[in-house]
């Protein structure tokens, strides 16, 4: 069964950190562009951190640059999002998406994916 499953969301105070995981099963992430996206209530989806498995390039939105880091563990077929110095405006449902043979920057502006996870809630409260 082909799946893309996120985990690691939760509640955190401003300035805190969380690490999200997105595990792929039934397919390998090789040659995929993979991204972390978020959607807050009443707002459009936003691609925040993306990478290309083909060339290792990464792309970050201005809103998270310097605070979030996307990485991949090839052995575990898993992509991570390390989120530091979290702010209340980071509150959203976060989900991962993957598209075959696409650059990091290109996937970060996509709304459709070959694979997409179900999402995990991140709430930053003060």
């Amino acid at each position: 069964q082909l799946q893309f499953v996120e985990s690691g969301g939760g509640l955190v105070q401003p300035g805190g950190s969380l690490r999200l995981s997105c595990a792929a099963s039934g397919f390998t992430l090789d040659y995929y562009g993979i991204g972390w996206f978020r959607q807050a209530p009443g707002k459009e989806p936003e691609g925040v951190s993306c990478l290309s498995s083909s060339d290792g390039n990464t792309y970050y939105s201005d809103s998270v640059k310097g605070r979030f880091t996307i990485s991949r563990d090839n052995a575990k077929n898993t992509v991570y999002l390390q989120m530091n110095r979290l702010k209340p405006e980071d509150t959203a449902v976060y989900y991962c998406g993957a598209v075959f043979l696409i650059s990091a920057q290109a996937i970060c502006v996509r709304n459709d994916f070959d694979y997409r996870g179900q999402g995990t809630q991140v709430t930053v409260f003060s």
Side-chain angles (χ1 to χ4, degrees):
Q1 185 178 3
L2 306 178
Q3 291 191 86
F4 217 11
V5 179
E6 301 99 338
S7 61
L11 300 173
V12 64
Q13 291 184 328
S17 298
L18 282 175
R19 189 177 80 155
L20 306 182
S21 301
C22 187
S25 61
F27 70 102
T28 177
L29 291 172
D30 293 346
Y31 305 111
Y32 277 84
I34 308 146
W36 282 98
F37 304 81
R38 67 186 182 187
Q39 187 167 20
K43 293 188 176 182
E44 292 293 316
E46 177 189 14
V48 295
S49 304
C50 299
L51 70 81
S52 167
S53 293
S54 299
D55 57 24
N57 286 339
T58 57
Y59 175 85
Y60 297 92
S61 66
D62 289 342
S63 60
V64 307
K65 198 173 296 182
R67 300 187 298 122
F68 290 11
T69 303
I70 187 171
S71 62
R72 177 190 168 194
D73 185 325
N74 294 342
K76 295 182 178 180
N77 209 27
T78 298
V79 177
Y80 301 97
L81 183 67
Q82 178 65 44
M83 305 185 294
N84 298 327
R85 304 200 310 274
L86 283 160
K87 305 175 181 179
E89 52 264 43
D90 294 319
T91 295
V93 173
Y94 285 71
Y95 57 94
C96 48
V99 177
F100 191 64
L101 288 179
I102 193 171
S103 71
Q105 187 169 358
I107 191 176
C108 253
V109 296
R110 289 279 291 248
N111 288 318
D112 60 307
F113 312 98
D114 296 336
Y115 301 101
R116 174 184 162 158
Q118 81 288 352
T120 184
Q121 177 70 44
V122 172
T123 303
V124 185
F125 66 98
S126 54

